[in-house]
């Protein structure tokens, strides 16, 4: 109404005969109500597709619902972290324990860059084009990597389920829902360094994987020792760049421990140790 009044006052046709003016007002009213109708429709549309907290779009909500019906989770509790390509939530399991939901988001530039990791991996040669299936492939890849590591006895959060872009795993942290601290937020010792190299060795020799995104941010320090996580980028040791990724992982780990005043192995030596007899 206010806008309509404004329209009337500012209208150069103000001097028109009364009848004409009334017609102009009616036209303006119609335009206004049409615009209101359209914007209401827009709101409705965006509600339908609303990305709650930028994560839960309708397809993701349906997956979460499926996970609930399957008894994998009971309820989503709260947001833990927002990473480069995913958001991490805690959820309760039907037995009351906590679980982690890692929800992969839309394709980011980073994600695209990392597609090279999938492209070179023989286990993922049948990926269809299109972002949704790519995101799902990425989540499945992290899940499979975790399964392989877990089965080989590497200390990683237990993988529980994967459905499209949602990965469910064991929660690592305290009973109040606080995650275990990553190395970067912990006091570290030479025993921690030794454990990291041991876990990397087991990952390489038993699970036949290279983490490929290892750093002080993707290693937990728990009461029961160190634990590797965030396996989205991990590659099979057959991957053409696996050696390069392994060297980078060792360099990241060494740089961190050295900075904290802990004696580290020479990079080439550590790489050799991790690879064992594998060429
Ligand atoms: N199993 C878990 N238990 C407890 N907390 C977890 C678990 N997995 C992930 N988190 C929390 O979520 C954060 C992000 O997880 P993760 O590194 O796997 O995601 P990301 O999207 O790859 O993040 P980034 O891109 O920043 O590396 C972790 O730093 C940790 O705080
Ligand atoms: Mg991470």
């Amino acid at each position: 109404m206010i806008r309509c009044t404004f329209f009337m006052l500012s209208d150069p046709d103000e001097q028109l005969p009364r009848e004409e003016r009334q017609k102009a007002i009616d036209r303006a009213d119609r335009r206004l109500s049409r615009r209101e109708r359209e914007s209401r429709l827009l709101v409705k549309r965006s509600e339908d597709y609303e990305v709650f907290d930028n994560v839960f779009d309708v397809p993701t909500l349906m997956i979460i619902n499926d996970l609930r019906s399957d008894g994998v989770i009971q309820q989503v509790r709260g947001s833990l972290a927002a990473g480069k390509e995913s958001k991490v939530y805690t959820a309760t399991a039907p037995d009351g324990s906590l679980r982690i939901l890692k929800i992969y988001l839309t394709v980011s530039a980073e994600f695209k860059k990392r597609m090279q990791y999938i492209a070179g991996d023989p286990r993922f040669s049948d990926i269809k084009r299109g972002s949704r299936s790519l995101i799902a492939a990425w989540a499945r890849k992290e899940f499979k990597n975790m399964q392989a590591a877990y089965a080989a006895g590497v200390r990683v959060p237990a993988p529980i389920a994967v459905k499209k872009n949602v990965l469910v795993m064991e929660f690592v942290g305290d009973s109040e829902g606080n995650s275990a601290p990553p190395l970067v937020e912990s006091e570290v010792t030479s025993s921690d360094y030794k454990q990291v190299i041991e876990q990397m060795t087991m990952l390489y020799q038993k699970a036949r994987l290279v983490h490929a995104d290892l750093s002080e941010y993707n290693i937990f320090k728990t009461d029961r020792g160190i634990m590797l996580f965030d396996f989205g980028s991990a590659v099979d040791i057959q991957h053409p760049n696996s050696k390069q990724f392994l060297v980078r992982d060792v360099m990241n780990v060494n740089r961190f421990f050295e900075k904290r005043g802990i004696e580290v192995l020479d990079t080439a030596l550590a790489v050799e140790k991790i690879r064992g007899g594998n060429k």
Side-chain angles (χ1 to χ4, degrees), residues 113-128:
K113 206 172 75 199
R114 290 196 188 180
M115 270 180 56
Q116 59 166 313
Y117 297 177
I118 287 188
D121 192 321
R123 296 171 301 164
F124 299 93
S125 52
D126 61 341
I127 303 304
K128 278 184 256 120

Side-chain angles (χ1 to χ4, degrees), residues 202-236:
M202 217 189 279
L203 185 67
Y204 193 95
Q205 295 184 17
K206 300 236 169 75
R208 305 185 76 76
L209 288 175
V210 172
H211 187 287
D213 191 24
L214 205 60
S215 74
E216 58 273 33
Y217 297 94
N218 286 334
I219 303 173
F220 286 131
K221 180 161 175 169
T222 77
D223 298 343
R224 291 169 295 135
I226 72 105
M227 201 180 236
L228 313 183
F229 70 99
D230 195 358
F231 275 80
S233 307
V235 295
D236 193 282

Side-chain angles (χ1 to χ4, degrees), residues 80-90 99-105 110 114 138 142 146 156-158 167-174 177-182 185 213 215 217-220 227-233:
L80 256 190
K84 291 188 290 284
E85 58 249 349
S86 67
K87 282 201 173 187
V88 176
Y89 287 78
T90 47
R99 292 192 163 163
I100 284 286
L101 292 184
K102 187 166 177 177
I103 301 177
Y104 277 90
L105 307 163
E110 176 71 19
R114 290 196 188 180
W138 191 261
E142 174 156 17
M146 291 181 81
V156 302
L167 167 57
V168 188
M169 69 181 105
E170 172 195 9
F171 168 78
V172 181
D174 66 21
N178 304 305
S179 301
E185 288 168 17
D213 191 24
S215 74
Y217 297 94
N218 286 334
I219 303 173
F220 286 131
M227 201 180 236
L228 313 183
F229 70 99
D230 195 358
F231 275 80
S233 307

Side-chain angles (χ1 to χ4, degrees), residues 37 39 48 57 72 107 115 137 170 239 259:
R37 248 195 341 266
S39 73
D48 283 348
D57 57 4
V72 177
V107 179
M115 270 180 56
E170 172 195 9
H239 188 286
K259 217 164 53 194

